[in-house]
Amino acid sequence: MNQLLLRSSSYLWRHGNRLLKVQLLSTNAATSSFSSASSPQIDSLQRRISTAGDPSVSMISVIDQWLEEGKKVKMSELRKFIKLLRKYRRCKQALQISEWMTGQGGFRLSGSDVAVQLDLIVKVHGLEKAEAYFNTISESSRDYQVYGALLNCYAYANQLEKAETIMQNLKDMGFLKTALPYNVMLGLYSRMGRYEKMDALMQEMEEKGIECDTFTFNIRLQAYVACSDFDGMEKLLTKMEADPHIKIGFHSYLVAGNGYLLSGLTDKSLKLLRKSEQLISDKSRKFAYECLLTSYAAAGSKAEVYRVWNLYKQMGKFFNAGYISMIGSLVKLDDLDSAEKIWEEWDSGMELFDIRIPNLMISAYSRKGDWEKAEAYVKKIIEKGEEPNVISWDHLAAGYLRGGQITKGVESIKKAISTCKPGRTPRLHTLATCLNELKDQGDKEAAEELLKMINEQCHLSTFAYDRLSSCINDEDLASNVFDQIEDDDGMFDESPTEAALPETETPEN
């Protein structure tokens, strides 16, 4: 039910026509935000850190090299670098800098620094390591920010009971004075479908004199959408509009508009999407247009998609994410000829390769079983001197299978398996289809060999592996395994995790 909204929250934020340039050690371009090609390259620690987009590059070695050259580094600079790295999801490298500060750097961390490090640990190493780090923090240093960070850790890991315990601790210590911790809990309740707890928590805020902010209302708004409570959604929107302390932005109407889309209420959706468009600020314009492209496409309005695209192009900047939104919108509208034209526009002016863009085309043609065109886009990736990733090969395999090219499909899925990594594996449906096809051909030995490869190289849960195993070992289960393994492209959200940072632009807070 939430797929469209969840995707919109990931594709909403990016873009821009004058291409800017940034050096990148990783082809997995997350920000697509470039510095001017004409500006002089001034050596600085920020530049060295910003261009180290490859996650295998250690920030510690970068800083140590800087110091060995007789240069200095300030704590304020390190904090800025951490903020930028977190902004662009380079959490591992941000954590390296944070840990260097207290290690080789010998700096004394503030409560805010400790809270940031705690947040980074849970994202890089998981909850257990984050809890272990929290236990090393002295009682006297566990201030509001540190406990707030621990609350975030539990919410991030969807640990409801532990999060509620910390929330109670914050109450007992008199630390609940702003909407922030309440918003964390509201977000957790919403994600876990515990909608009945949200109103009680907002009532508590009112009783304590803690004003709900825009985030509070937007979280509740999205929860109404998630359970298709449009009456509640409309009443909340009316309340927000009447509250002089709440500044409604485009996002609120966008959420409501997308909610109507999920229920097929297209006319109501379009009305709110247009209303959302009137509230776009200069700061959010890029993000908003990218969002609206996808939403108008979901509403089936090609004219609106092109209208927003033309507005987008007038901004004077172009980033890869804009092309992703536009091509994805045209694919959703099943207009692959137009999608190819936008692809060609990107390909002719592209300075920073982004594999997500050819992968969109591979996926689109694979769904139609047009494996020859899907194959052509894989070749285009290779011609650029790049390597297809697990998503490229998985989609190509699906195209081969739909086109009846079983041998090629199995070969491609093996390539997908060989390039997979934690959090990024071939889709279960594609794997199951390959196994089932091999079994139906009477080649159980090849099916067992593929299953062994999956077990050794993919990072699957026991349940997922057992379902795949049933494709060749259990006749009863194999007949309905595809009904239980959803072919969900949503798991292939290619929102990047590592990226180069802009050298001349400061990201928005």
Side-chain angles (χ1 to χ4, degrees), residues 75 116 166 242 250 252 340 360 390 507:
M75 193 170 188
V116 167
I166 295 301
F250 80 93
S252 300
E340 284 205 2
L360 279 172
V390 59

Side-chain angles (χ1 to χ4, degrees), residues 179-188 201 205 213 215-217 219:
L180 181 57
Y182 285 97
N183 290 345
V184 172
M185 288 304 301
L186 287 168
L188 179 57
L201 200 59
M205 293 177 68
D213 58 20
F215 293 105
T216 312
F217 286 124
I219 292 168

Side-chain angles (χ1 to χ4, degrees), residues 168-184:
Q168 186 60 51
N169 290 343
L170 286 166
K171 291 179 186 178
D172 296 340
M173 291 182 287
F175 284 159
L176 292 182
K177 298 178 180 179
T178 69
L180 181 57
Y182 285 97
N183 290 345
V184 172

Side-chain angles (χ1 to χ4, degrees), residues 230 258-269:
F230 296 113
N258 283 341
Y260 283 134
L261 277 180
L262 290 172
S263 296
L265 302 172
T266 305
D267 289 342
K268 284 191 172 184
S269 173

